[in-house]
């Protein structure tokens, strides 16, 4: 019985350690669920526009290149990717890109008024950060 008790206690201790553990990269004392002491690289994608809406569904830093005026680039359904962040930059110096979403709306930070599309062009919104809240997208210039 004592042996069972000790094995049970050891198993419980390991379960607690792994259930509430934190992962550190280049640190021995992580302070968050994931604590990185160093550089972080994210996936970079280049998307050229086409005759149909170009879907954004991969990468973190997205360079979009519209081939015609107001070419559409579509964000995924925010309910399927809660917490996802994209950094999107229109790299074309001639054409405006139109950013839309499959579902929900696009909300500028600090407002409660959403829109179904954002136009990305020079001198206004060449680079936009979008964040899914699980229902809609919040965007920041």
């Amino acid at each position: 019985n004592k042996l069972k008790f000790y094995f049970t206690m050891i198993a419980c201790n390991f379960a607690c350690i792994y259930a509430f553990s934190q992962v550190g990269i280049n640190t021995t004392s992580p302070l968050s669920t994931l604590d990185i002491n160093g550089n972080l690289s994210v996936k970079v994608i280049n998307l050229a526009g086409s005759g149909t809406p170009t879907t954004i569904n991969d990468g973190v830093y997205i360079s979009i290149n519209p081939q015609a005026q107001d070419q559409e680039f579509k964000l995924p359904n925010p309910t399927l990717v809660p917490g996802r962040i994209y950094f999107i930059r229109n790299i074309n110096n001639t054409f405006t890109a139109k950013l839309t979403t499959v579902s929900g709306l696009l909300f500028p930070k600090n407002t409660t008024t959403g829109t179904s599309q954002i136009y990305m062009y020079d001198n206004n919104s060449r680079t936009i950060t979008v964040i899914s809240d699980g229902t809609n997208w919040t965007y920041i210039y």
Side-chain angles (χ1 to χ4, degrees):
N1 272 343
K2 282 187 178 182
L3 191 56
K4 272 187 178 177
F5 174 76
Y6 289 124
F7 280 126
T8 303
M9 291 305 293
I10 290 171
C12 285
N13 283 335
F14 279 117
C16 288
I17 288 169
Y18 287 109
F20 300 104
S21 65
Q22 296 166 317
V23 175
I25 298 174
N26 204 23
T27 179
T28 56
S29 304
L31 301 175
S32 297
T33 303
L34 176 60
D35 192 341
I36 301 171
N37 182 13
N39 296 322
L40 173 68
S41 293
V42 296
K43 190 171 186 178
V44 175
I45 300 291
N46 294 305
L47 295 175
S50 65
T52 60
T54 303
T55 303
I56 297 171
N57 59 10
D58 193 16
V60 177
Y61 187 90
I62 316 293
S63 294
I64 58 175
N65 189 2
Q67 304 300 300
Q69 189 64 24
D70 297 338
Q71 207 152 51
E72 185 176 356
F73 293 83
K74 191 173 289 257
L75 292 165
N77 185 335
T79 63
L80 302 177
V81 291
R84 183 166 294 177
I85 299 172
Y86 291 115
F87 301 95
I88 304 170
R89 180 165 176 79
N90 179 357
I91 62 171
N92 192 299
N93 290 323
T94 305
F95 297 123
T96 297
K98 179 169 63 170
L99 186 63
T100 63
T101 179
V102 170
S103 175
L105 293 173
L106 298 147
F107 285 87
K109 67 174 185 166
N110 300 327
T111 72
T112 57
T113 304
T115 183
S116 60
Q117 58 199 19
I118 303 168
Y119 290 91
M120 299 176 64
Y121 53 91
D122 202 17
N123 297 326
N124 182 17
S125 54
R126 184 172 283 274
T127 301
I128 293 178
T129 302
V130 292
I131 306 162
S132 167
D133 66 7
T135 304
N136 297 291
W137 292 94
T138 298
Y139 66 92
I140 304 164
Y141 291 118

